[in-house]
Amino acid sequence: MQSDIIKQARIEIQRKSALNAEKKKRKDKIVRLFFFFITCICSLIIVIVAGFIIIKGLTPFFKIYTENGHTGSMSFSYFFTGLQFNHGYDQETGTFMYGVGFLVVNTLYINLISYIISIPTSILTSLFIARIAPKPLKKIISTGVDLLASIPSVIFGMFGLGVIVPLVRSIGRAMGLAGTSGISLLAGAIILALMSMPTMISVMVTSLNAIDESQIKASLALGASKTQTNFKIALKNAKSGIFAGIILGIGRALGEATAVTMVTGSPIYGITANPFDPTVTLTTQMLLAIGEATPNSLNYDARFSAGLVLLVIIILINFLLNNIKDIVCSIDRKPSKAIIFLKQLFTNFRNPCYDLKKLK
Amino acid sequence: MKKTLRFVPLFACLTLLASCGGESTNTSNTGASSSQDTTVDFDTTQEITPLTRDTNSGTREAFFGHIDLEDAASDDSLLTTSASVVASNGDMISNLATDEYAIGYFSFDSITSATDEGVKVVSFEGVTPSEDTIVSGEYSLTRHFNYIVRNDFGGDSVKETIVDAFVAYMGTAEGLNIIQTNGGVVDPETINNAPTWAEISANYPGISDDHSDVTINFGGSTSVEEIARQLSASFSTLAGNFIAHHDHTGSGAAYSGTQGDDAGTLDIGFLSREFNDSEVPAENTSGVICTDAVIIGVNEANPLTNITADQCHNIYALDGTIDTWDDILG
Amino acid sequence: MTLKSLNNEAIFEKKKRFRERVKDFFSVTSTYIFSSFTLIALIAIIVFIFSRGYSTLSWDFITGDYNPTTYVIRTDTESDADRLDNTFDYTPREGEYFSSLWGIGFMDEENNVGEKIVIISYVDPNANINNIVDADNNPFTIEAGTTVNSALLYNDEGRVSIRIDKGAQEVAKRFDECPYILQMSLTTGGDGIRGSFISTLYMIGITMVIALPLGISAAIYLGVYAKENKITKMLRNMIDMISGIPSIIFGLVGGIIFLPIVGGNGNLISGSLTMAFMILPLIIKTTQESIKTIPKSLSDASLALGASQTQTTFKVILPNSLPGILTSALLGISRVIGESAALIYTSGVAILDTVSPTQGSATLAVHIWSLMSGETQNYEASCAISIIILIIILVLSIIIKLISFITERKKRRRG
């Protein structure tokens, strides 16, 4: 009798625990699905953003707008070749002329100048921080650079207006360009460089700190000076990190709007050739005269088209740079014959005693 | 430790250098920057940089209307390609103060801050702008500041009373005094003969009840913004402390915000130009606040003293014949 | 080896060493020069901001209203109190102009955008201001330090509208001519940032409430539950791509999505939703990193003891990754504080004194933007606000570093 009760109790417990396990499994499944669902929502954000930009950016080409007594949609050809953002209405083709061609050229120009300033500076500064500076100084400068990275862009814009613009103004006057007021493409490029440098430096320092110490020691043991080791071994080993830093910094610089708007002015026309002239880029044009733009007007929608162009440029440049990084940083790939030939040419040119070396 | 000591003097030098750079801009930004460069000779072969407001601005429309460029008021493509857009009167003034080869226009109510910052006022067709010449009509670049109110308050009679009383306040001696203090041009005789608020407040019963939960939305022209803010601040204390919300984006928003496409976003709109053909206000919902003038300004270092309408046209028009300062100054 | 070739080699070696030393020298100097540029820039920014903003920073600045308080006063002609008729024996200070008819001294001053204003600099204890009332007909005492905005006086001959912009001397002269005030408006205070400060706090709060749960859930899924297949890789890539989009595009898209719902120029809620989109990748990545550092043995042990996956997640993994979650929240906060472009589109640029989440209002960064791009550029107030922002960000970074330091120590102790 007792064993029966015990047996029954055991069966009960087993059944209950099986049920419990079932419940737990079901709960697990539900919770798992819940988390999966939320992750999908999060990843849908990019789809939403890209979708809206594409749809709203392409609409002006197809939708008919009525403004100022004229009807039509946006002109396709002027969009890519135009030299003025709002060029009015073309009576012949019946389209509004909004151009972003010149904005693209200006954007690339200002970014190029800022990279010329920021890339060498970041590489050398990160080399300094990681390998040359004594320990206490290293910590201070690292913290300083981190702080710089988190300063909001409006503050950079204000710093630009207060310090960089008068600086560029005095440089321009000293160079003889009498009409410069400091509000210029150069000031914008300097501000962009200042903003992208901390990002670049922190990534580069991390990668320089993580290189293999044995390689360094080996190089020093073989008689190379400290500087040679730094430049030829350390930098080469940290190549992928340096490139990653550059790509990150470039991404930040391309998308910057508020700081650049404050220091580059707002001319209405044309490609800026002289770096001391005011300029207008994709991002600043999107922020300009926001009071004029009421939603669903052509002016407002044209900004989305400009935003679409900006996105395409960013994706293209990222793609290009990632590919270059892969080519440059793959150590096992044999350099192509062309590169070997160029290298030989270069060494021959530099060192007339090359033959003597070969003898050794 | 030795290595650190080696770096300390380097660090100190850098800090000193940087702080010099940071500090020296303190003095050069209080508007006195142009005075450093008056020793630079004015090079008349330089190109003129015409500055203009954006297409939403009533000041732009008033100016272009007087120099035979009405169509360019809403169309940037009819302007010369060397023109640069500024966002407001204040922006215009600070740009004129720092760029010797620029020319621009701004509203008369900013004239004192302009002359303080180093902008020279240019006489138009031989007449120097001043209160007397504007009132008498001698200075021809004048325009009215106008207002327009909502015609449909959706049954909110409290708001309607407050807005009506505000419109009446703008015509009292106190209101005209505030308008005049903030740069509007008012005939002194009008102030002397206008009624006081005490005399007409009886027409608006309940005006001084507690209205601290009522928000009145003001908007429209940025040239009238200062006048509007001061009027609303003073009137608010007389009318139960209602909350005055200002959002000035340009004269174009005045009609559309009160009676046009966005009707209801503004209760009172201000314009620095006349109503154009597509803006027809309902009866008894609009009027004149005061007179104002558009002043043409150049940098202090510029020897220009007088300019004609024809010269302005040729500077700003796309096919204009004047490109460098030589063409004007001879 | 002939003697000549040995000699040649020695010369060649010397030349090579010299060349290398020159190269080294150039490399070293260029390194120092470029690094000092960076340092100079960093120090110059900090010095600029602190030197310009320090004087404006005060408790009143932080807690005061943006719009100044206006008092509209006049002479009370209805009550029985007659206007006093004292005379005064006061020598005005340098730059002060005294009206002997009233006993009030006026001075010219500059406000912090550089505009000239007239303030009441001295009120004599026996001043003839006994019958002044304000708009509600309550007696009003004029105090020194208030700004005179406008004044319409009158005497027996007529009204005199005072041109304040002509300066304190003109004001004092006119006051000497007229014993009665028809209307005068005085202002005190103003230019405070309390409204923007509270909007920033609202923005941070609402953004965190939206972004943290979403981000932590996604991080848990990707770190704990997800199997390494194509779908997971695609999800990871898509989330990474969000961080590459510039903020102004988020502003545009946020405007298109949320403004029609919310109306007008947006409000704090639409701004927070846009910000939540932007900081999601940051939160997901940081939380994922901290989940990764939890040793697998811990969760394995919990599962072995019979806990379900859900229980393990909530009771073992989450509490252990709390420092990482905190770090991600703090990083997100610093991003929210600094963001301006996206918020200009989605929550407006109006600076208000009473803030509610359903009204569009400027945060601190947008406040700086509107100060610097408005009629006149107000460097002092902008720099003061920047100091506040920088201090908050500095404190947040220190807390983040402390958290990671403590976690490292705990981990080392744990072994």
Side-chain angles (χ1 to χ4, degrees), chain B residues 139-182:
Chain B
Y139 188 78
S140 47
L141 264 185
T142 56
R143 39 99 179 256
H144 287 143
F145 281 160
N146 301 307
Y147 69 88
I148 179 174
V149 297
R150 241 167 110 176
N151 57 348
D152 180 14
F153 281 92
D156 192 343
S157 59
V158 172
K159 257 198 180 179
E160 200 165 346
T161 323
I162 298 182
V163 169
D164 285 341
F166 182 82
V167 169
Y169 181 70
M170 288 198 288
T172 61
E174 294 99 330
L176 289 170
N177 163 250
I178 294 183
I179 294 173
Q180 189 188 53
T181 315
N182 287 292

Coordinates of all heavy atoms in Angstrom, one line a residue, chain B residues 139-182:
Chain B
Y139 N 13.1 110.4 -48.2 CA 13.9 109.2 -48.4 C 12.9 108.2 -49.0 O 11.9 107.8 -48.4 CB 14.4 108.7 -47.1 CG 15.3 107.5 -47.2 CD1 16.7 107.7 -47.6 CD2 14.9 106.2 -46.9 CE1 17.5 106.6 -47.7 CE2 15.8 105.2 -47.0 CZ 17.1 105.4 -47.4 OH 17.9 104.3 -47.5
S140 N 13.2 107.7 -50.2 CA 12.2 106.9 -50.9 C 12.2 105.4 -50.6 O 11.2 104.8 -51.0 CB 12.4 107.2 -52.4 OG 13.8 107.0 -52.8
L141 N 13.2 104.9 -50.1 CA 13.3 103.4 -49.8 C 12.5 103.1 -48.6 O 13.0 102.6 -47.6 CB 14.7 103.0 -49.6 CG 15.4 102.4 -50.8 CD1 16.8 101.9 -50.4 CD2 14.7 101.3 -51.5
T142 N 11.2 103.5 -48.6 CA 10.4 103.2 -47.4 C 9.4 102.1 -47.6 O 9.1 101.8 -48.8 CB 9.6 104.4 -46.9 OG1 8.8 104.9 -48.0 CG2 10.6 105.5 -46.5
R143 N 8.9 101.5 -46.6 CA 7.9 100.6 -46.7 C 7.1 100.6 -45.4 O 7.6 101.2 -44.4 CB 8.4 99.2 -46.9 CG 9.7 98.9 -46.2 CD 9.6 98.1 -45.0 NE 10.8 97.8 -44.3 CZ 11.4 96.6 -44.3 NH1 10.9 95.7 -45.1 NH2 12.4 96.3 -43.6
H144 N 6.0 100.0 -45.3 CA 5.2 99.9 -44.1 C 5.5 98.6 -43.4 O 5.7 97.6 -44.0 CB 3.7 100.0 -44.4 CG 3.3 101.4 -44.8 ND1 2.4 101.7 -45.7 CD2 3.8 102.6 -44.3 CE1 2.2 103.0 -45.9 NE2 3.1 103.6 -45.0
F145 N 5.4 98.6 -42.1 CA 5.3 97.4 -41.3 C 3.8 97.2 -41.2 O 3.1 98.1 -40.7 CB 5.9 97.5 -39.9 CG 7.4 97.4 -39.9 CD1 8.2 97.9 -38.9 CD2 8.1 96.7 -41.0 CE1 9.6 97.7 -38.9 CE2 9.5 96.6 -40.9 CZ 10.2 97.1 -39.9
N146 N 3.4 96.0 -41.6 CA 1.9 95.7 -41.5 C 1.7 94.5 -40.6 O 2.6 93.8 -40.2 CB 1.4 95.3 -42.9 CG 1.6 96.4 -43.9 OD1 1.2 97.6 -43.6 ND2 2.2 96.1 -45.0
Y147 N 0.4 94.4 -40.2 CA 0.1 93.3 -39.3 C -1.2 92.6 -40.0 O -1.9 93.2 -40.7 CB -0.2 93.7 -37.9 CG -1.5 94.5 -37.8 CD1 -2.8 93.8 -37.6 CD2 -1.5 95.9 -37.8 CE1 -3.9 94.6 -37.5 CE2 -2.7 96.6 -37.7 CZ -3.9 95.9 -37.6 OH -5.0 96.7 -37.5
I148 N -1.3 91.4 -39.6 CA -2.5 90.7 -40.0 C -2.9 89.7 -38.9 O -2.1 89.1 -38.3 CB -2.3 89.9 -41.4 CG1 -3.6 89.1 -41.8 CG2 -1.2 88.9 -41.3 CD1 -3.5 88.5 -43.1
V149 N -4.2 89.6 -38.7 CA -4.6 88.7 -37.6 C -5.5 87.6 -38.1 O -6.0 87.7 -39.3 CB -5.4 89.5 -36.5 CG1 -4.6 90.5 -35.8 CG2 -6.7 90.1 -37.0
R150 N -5.7 86.6 -37.3 CA -6.5 85.5 -37.7 C -7.9 85.9 -37.9 O -8.4 86.7 -37.1 CB -6.5 84.4 -36.5 CG -5.9 83.1 -36.9 CD -5.7 82.4 -35.6 NE -6.6 81.3 -35.5 CZ -6.6 80.4 -34.5 NH1 -5.7 80.5 -33.6 NH2 -7.5 79.4 -34.5
N151 N -8.6 85.4 -38.9 CA -10.0 85.8 -39.0 C -10.9 84.8 -38.4 O -12.1 85.0 -38.2 CB -10.4 86.0 -40.5 CG -10.0 84.7 -41.3 OD1 -9.4 83.8 -40.8 ND2 -10.5 84.6 -42.5
D152 N -10.4 83.6 -38.1 CA -11.3 82.6 -37.5 C -10.6 82.0 -36.3 O -9.6 81.3 -36.4 CB -11.5 81.5 -38.6 CG -12.4 80.4 -38.0 OD1 -13.0 80.6 -37.0 OD2 -12.5 79.3 -38.6
F153 N -11.1 82.4 -35.1 CA -10.5 81.9 -33.9 C -11.2 80.6 -33.4 O -10.9 80.2 -32.3 CB -10.6 82.9 -32.8 CG -9.6 84.0 -33.0 CD1 -9.9 85.2 -33.7 CD2 -8.4 83.9 -32.4 CE1 -8.9 86.1 -33.8 CE2 -7.4 84.8 -32.6 CZ -7.7 86.0 -33.3
G154 N -12.0 80.0 -34.2 CA -12.6 78.7 -33.8 C -13.4 78.9 -32.5 O -13.5 77.9 -31.7
G155 N -14.0 80.0 -32.3 CA -14.9 80.2 -31.2 C -14.2 80.6 -29.9 O -14.8 80.8 -28.9
D156 N -12.9 80.7 -29.9 CA -12.2 81.1 -28.7 C -12.3 82.6 -28.5 O -11.5 83.4 -29.0 CB -10.7 80.7 -28.8 CG -10.0 80.8 -27.5 OD1 -10.5 81.5 -26.6 OD2 -8.9 80.2 -27.4
S157 N -13.3 83.0 -27.8 CA -13.6 84.5 -27.7 C -12.6 85.2 -26.8 O -12.3 86.3 -27.0 CB -15.0 84.7 -27.1 OG -15.1 84.1 -25.9
V158 N -12.0 84.4 -25.9 CA -11.0 85.1 -25.0 C -9.8 85.5 -25.9 O -9.3 86.6 -25.8 CB -10.5 84.1 -23.9 CG1 -9.4 84.7 -23.1 CG2 -11.7 83.8 -23.0
K159 N -9.3 84.6 -26.7 CA -8.2 84.9 -27.5 C -8.5 86.0 -28.5 O -7.7 86.9 -28.7 CB -7.8 83.6 -28.4 CG -6.6 82.9 -27.9 CD -6.1 82.0 -29.0 CE -4.9 81.3 -28.5 NZ -4.4 80.4 -29.6
E160 N -9.8 86.0 -29.0 CA -10.2 87.0 -30.0 C -10.1 88.4 -29.3 O -9.7 89.3 -29.9 CB -11.6 86.7 -30.5 CG -11.9 87.4 -31.8 CD -13.1 86.8 -32.4 OE1 -13.6 85.7 -32.0 OE2 -13.7 87.4 -33.4
T161 N -10.6 88.4 -28.0 CA -10.6 89.7 -27.4 C -9.2 90.2 -27.2 O -8.9 91.4 -27.4 CB -11.3 89.6 -26.0 OG1 -12.4 88.7 -26.1 CG2 -11.8 91.0 -25.5
I162 N -8.3 89.3 -26.7 CA -7.0 89.7 -26.4 C -6.3 90.2 -27.7 O -5.6 91.2 -27.7 CB -6.1 88.5 -25.9 CG1 -6.7 88.1 -24.5 CG2 -4.7 88.9 -25.7 CD1 -6.0 87.0 -23.9
V163 N -6.5 89.5 -28.8 CA -5.9 89.9 -30.1 C -6.4 91.2 -30.6 O -5.7 92.1 -31.0 CB -6.1 88.8 -31.2 CG1 -5.7 89.3 -32.5 CG2 -5.3 87.6 -30.8
D164 N -7.8 91.4 -30.5 CA -8.3 92.7 -30.8 C -7.8 93.8 -30.0 O -7.4 94.9 -30.5 CB -9.9 92.7 -30.7 CG -10.5 91.9 -31.8 OD1 -9.9 91.7 -32.8 OD2 -11.7 91.5 -31.6
A165 N -7.7 93.6 -28.7 CA -7.1 94.6 -27.8 C -5.7 94.9 -28.1 O -5.3 96.1 -28.1 CB -7.3 94.1 -26.3
F166 N -4.9 93.9 -28.5 CA -3.5 94.1 -28.9 C -3.4 95.0 -30.1 O -2.6 95.9 -30.2 CB -2.8 92.8 -29.2 CG -1.4 92.9 -29.5 CD1 -0.5 93.0 -28.5 CD2 -1.0 92.9 -30.8 CE1 0.9 93.1 -28.8 CE2 0.4 93.0 -31.1 CZ 1.3 93.1 -30.1
V167 N -4.3 94.8 -31.1 CA -4.3 95.6 -32.3 C -4.6 97.0 -31.9 O -4.0 98.0 -32.4 CB -5.3 95.1 -33.3 CG1 -5.5 96.1 -34.4 CG2 -4.8 93.7 -33.8
A168 N -5.6 97.2 -31.0 CA -5.9 98.6 -30.5 C -4.7 99.2 -29.8 O -4.4 100.4 -29.9 CB -7.1 98.6 -29.7
Y169 N -4.0 98.4 -29.0 CA -2.9 98.8 -28.2 C -1.8 99.4 -29.1 O -1.1 100.3 -28.7 CB -2.3 97.7 -27.3 CG -1.2 98.0 -26.4 CD1 -1.3 98.9 -25.3 CD2 0.1 97.5 -26.7 CE1 -0.3 99.2 -24.5 CE2 1.1 97.8 -25.9 CZ 1.0 98.6 -24.8 OH 2.0 98.9 -24.0
M170 N -1.7 98.8 -30.3 CA -0.6 99.3 -31.2 C -0.9 100.7 -31.6 O 0.0 101.3 -32.1 CB -0.5 98.3 -32.4 CG 0.2 97.0 -32.0 SD 0.8 96.1 -33.5 CE -0.7 95.6 -34.2
G171 N -2.1 101.1 -31.5 CA -2.5 102.5 -31.9 C -2.5 103.5 -30.8 O -2.7 104.7 -31.1
T172 N -2.3 103.0 -29.6 CA -2.3 104.0 -28.5 C -1.0 104.6 -28.3 O 0.0 104.2 -28.9 CB -2.6 103.3 -27.1 OG1 -1.6 102.3 -26.9 CG2 -3.9 102.6 -27.2
A173 N -0.9 105.7 -27.5 CA 0.3 106.4 -27.3 C 1.4 105.5 -26.8 O 2.6 105.5 -27.2 CB 0.1 107.6 -26.4
E174 N 1.0 104.6 -25.8 CA 2.0 103.7 -25.2 C 2.6 102.8 -26.3 O 3.8 102.5 -26.3 CB 1.4 102.9 -24.1 CG 1.0 103.7 -22.9 CD -0.5 104.0 -22.9 OE1 -1.1 104.1 -24.0 OE2 -1.1 104.2 -21.8
G175 N 1.6 102.2 -27.1 CA 2.1 101.3 -28.1 C 3.0 101.9 -29.1 O 4.1 101.4 -29.4
L176 N 2.6 103.1 -29.5 CA 3.4 103.8 -30.5 C 4.8 104.2 -29.9 O 5.8 104.2 -30.6 CB 2.7 105.1 -31.0 CG 1.5 104.8 -31.9 CD1 0.7 106.1 -32.1 CD2 1.9 104.3 -33.2
N177 N 4.8 104.5 -28.6 CA 6.1 104.8 -28.0 C 7.0 103.6 -28.0 O 8.2 103.7 -28.3 CB 5.8 105.2 -26.5 CG 7.1 105.2 -25.7 OD1 7.2 104.3 -24.8 ND2 8.0 106.0 -26.0
I178 N 6.4 102.4 -27.7 CA 7.3 101.2 -27.8 C 7.8 101.0 -29.2 O 8.9 100.6 -29.5 CB 6.5 100.0 -27.3 CG1 6.2 100.2 -25.8 CG2 7.3 98.7 -27.5 CD1 5.5 99.0 -25.2
I179 N 6.8 101.1 -30.2 CA 7.2 100.9 -31.6 C 8.4 101.9 -32.0 O 9.3 101.5 -32.6 CB 6.0 101.1 -32.5 CG1 5.0 100.1 -32.2 CG2 6.4 101.1 -34.0 CD1 3.7 100.3 -33.0
Q180 N 8.2 103.1 -31.5 CA 9.3 104.1 -31.9 C 10.6 103.8 -31.2 O 11.7 103.9 -31.8 CB 8.8 105.5 -31.5 CG 9.7 106.6 -32.0 CD 9.4 107.9 -31.5 OE1 9.3 108.1 -30.3 NE2 9.2 108.9 -32.4
T181 N 10.5 103.4 -29.9 CA 11.8 103.1 -29.2 C 12.5 102.0 -29.9 O 13.7 101.9 -29.8 CB 11.5 102.7 -27.8 OG1 10.5 103.6 -27.2 CG2 12.7 102.7 -26.9
N182 N 11.8 101.0 -30.5 CA 12.5 99.9 -31.1 C 12.7 100.1 -32.6 O 12.9 99.1 -33.3 CB 11.7 98.6 -30.8 CG 11.8 98.2 -29.4 OD1 12.8 97.8 -28.9 ND2 10.7 98.4 -28.7

